[in-house]
Amino acid sequence: MLDAAAIGDGIFQIPVPMSHNPLGSTLVYAMESPGGLILVDAGWDADEGWAGLTSGLESIGHSVSEVEGVVLTHFHPDHTGLCGRVREASGAWIAMHESDHEMFAKMSSGRDAEWMDYQLANLTQAGAAQEDLDAFRAATGSDVPVGPESAPDRLLADDEIVALTGRGLRVVHTPGHTPGHVCFYLEDAEVMFTGDHVLQKTTPHVGNFVYPLEERDALAEFLDSLRRVQTMDVTRGLGAHGIPLDDVAGRAGELIEHHEERLEHLLDAFGDDRITVWEVAQRMKWYRPWTDFHPMAKGMALSEAAAHLRHRVAGGGGARGGGPAPAGGGRAVWRGGA
């Protein structure tokens, strides 16, 4: 585990642990602001995470009570979970792009069976078998990972400037991983906080795990967002997980190439077969066999498969066009199909 530290350009990095997750931690960044500190993201809501955040701030000479505000890269619980505790300790405001507010509200609406029923309904519509639904229920439980106490109370808009001490942090809307994902650009230092948009070794998940069968072309948004950051003057990328990037544009290009290859595989492997979206996810090429996936990971793979399929149906991914069309339980989501 990394220690909290000053990493240059007036930036402090605080690793917030989440031992239940293979990623190990969420990297939270702190910078001085007119009212104290601005945090980029907050970390997973657990006692170990709270201890990591508070002790990390103390080790760099600050306190959680000094936090003026938290700017969120996106709504996922490993980024938003501790916002409620931070606000209670400091009175901080919490800001998120408006396109993720609805998703956060769905995710945090209640710690009861309603959340589970919502997820199971999406999996059923995609064509998941009963055994898959039972496994998902058993593995994930009914509690949502973040509660309404962490809800944002401010909106972030593209190109908005968040005030820091003597400088500003620019909001760069980069949808794809989520509808409202944003990066934050520290222009005077040519540093970009990339959240989960561009990571050094991890290929970010594309699509919406809360609503995997959404109508928006999340992959097109993601590819456009990658191209956008390629055009910006960034000498150092600081992601929410893993090591810093010294070539954000180059890594963005690798991610674009990865998804273009995945789209080609989608077409070559399935041809004109009419299969459910769940079956598409089963047949796609992943980093490990489908049978070895944790039930929650299958849900995330489903939303990524649906994003690639939607992009094909919308005519994206090259001149070949065509590709698999959803059938069975997955047909209704396309409202008429391809």
Side-chain angles (χ1 to χ4, degrees):
M1 171 66 69
L2 296 170
D3 293 327
I7 59 172
D9 298 311
I11 303 165
F12 300 100
Q13 182 188 73
I14 303 105
V16 177
M18 45 178 183
S19 58
H20 68 285
N21 190 299
L23 291 171
S25 65
T26 298
L27 298 176
V28 172
Y29 299 96
M31 289 160 286
E32 293 184 356
S33 68
L37 293 174
I38 295 295
L39 300 185
V40 177
D41 292 329
W44 187 276
D45 184 13
D47 289 343
E48 66 167 353
W50 181 241
L53 178 62
T54 55
S55 64
L57 286 168
E58 289 168 3
S59 74
I60 58 174
H62 291 281
S63 165
V64 70
S65 65
E66 298 175 53
V67 177
E68 176 188 0
V70 182
V71 291
L72 296 166
T73 57
H74 59 297
F75 77 90
H76 286 168
D78 55 323
H79 299 256
T80 59
L82 287 174
C83 286
R85 297 203 206 193
V86 171
R87 180 158 46 203
E88 183 178 6
S90 66
W93 48 261
I94 313 296
M96 178 192 291
H97 191 275
E98 60 182 340
S99 295
D100 267 9
H101 275 239
E102 180 183 356
M103 295 298 101
F104 180 90
K106 287 182 181 294
M107 182 180 65
S108 63
S109 58
R111 301 177 185 272
D112 53 28
E114 182 180 352
W115 168 244
M116 175 59 66
D117 290 344
Y118 181 80
Q119 295 178 93
L120 293 177
N122 276 316
L123 298 180
T124 300
Q125 188 178 22
Q130 186 60 50
E131 63 186 74
D132 295 309
L133 301 178
D134 293 341
F136 186 88
R137 185 193 299 273
T140 59
S142 60
D143 284 357
V144 297
V146 58
E149 66 276 3
S150 290
D153 48 39
R154 293 193 181 186
L155 297 178
L156 292 174
D158 189 38
D159 280 331
E160 177 182 349
I161 302 297
V162 179
L164 301 175
T165 300
R167 55 184 176 167
L169 191 63
R170 181 151 68 95
V171 178
V172 182
H173 187 207
T174 51
H177 183 62
T178 70
H181 189 287
V182 296
C183 297
F184 296 101
Y185 185 42
L186 194 59
E187 194 164 6
D188 68 316
E190 295 185 348
V191 168
M192 178 171 282
F193 301 94
T194 60
D196 283 1
H197 182 56
V198 184
L199 299 172
Q200 180 65 43
K201 294 186 177 181
T202 303
T203 302
H205 166 264
V206 179
N208 190 341
F209 74 87
V210 177
Y211 184 30
L213 303 183
E214 62 191 349
E215 293 289 337
R216 58 184 268 269
D217 190 343
L219 182 56
E221 293 179 357
F222 184 60
L223 297 175
D224 286 344
S225 297
L226 289 170
R227 295 183 184 105
R228 180 181 184 186
V229 301
Q230 283 184 308
T231 68
M232 301 179 69
D233 293 325
V234 180
T235 57
R236 184 163 59 137
L238 300 174
H241 310 284
I243 62 177
L245 299 106
D246 56 13
D247 184 5
V248 172
R251 178 57 179 155
E254 292 175 357
L255 292 171
I256 292 170
E257 183 178 354
H258 164 78
H259 286 286
E260 289 174 344
E261 290 175 353
R262 176 158 282 180
L263 286 164
E264 286 302 311
H265 173 258
L266 186 72
L267 182 60
D268 293 339
F270 310 138
D272 295 325
D273 290 351
R274 294 190 62 81
I275 56 179
T276 66
V277 183
W278 185 267
E279 289 170 325
V280 170
Q282 285 180 310
R283 295 189 191 185
M284 284 181 71
K285 183 178 180 180
W286 302 106
Y287 64 96
R288 64 173 65 179
W290 177 259
T291 52
D292 292 347
F293 271 40
H294 185 278
M296 179 63 79
K298 286 184 177 180
M300 295 184 72
L302 171 68
S303 59
E304 175 129 345
H308 284 77
L309 183 56
R310 163 57 63 190
H311 192 60
R312 271 293 179 196
V313 170
R320 295 178 65 184
R331 182 182 293 120
V333 76
W334 307 116
R335 300 181 185 178

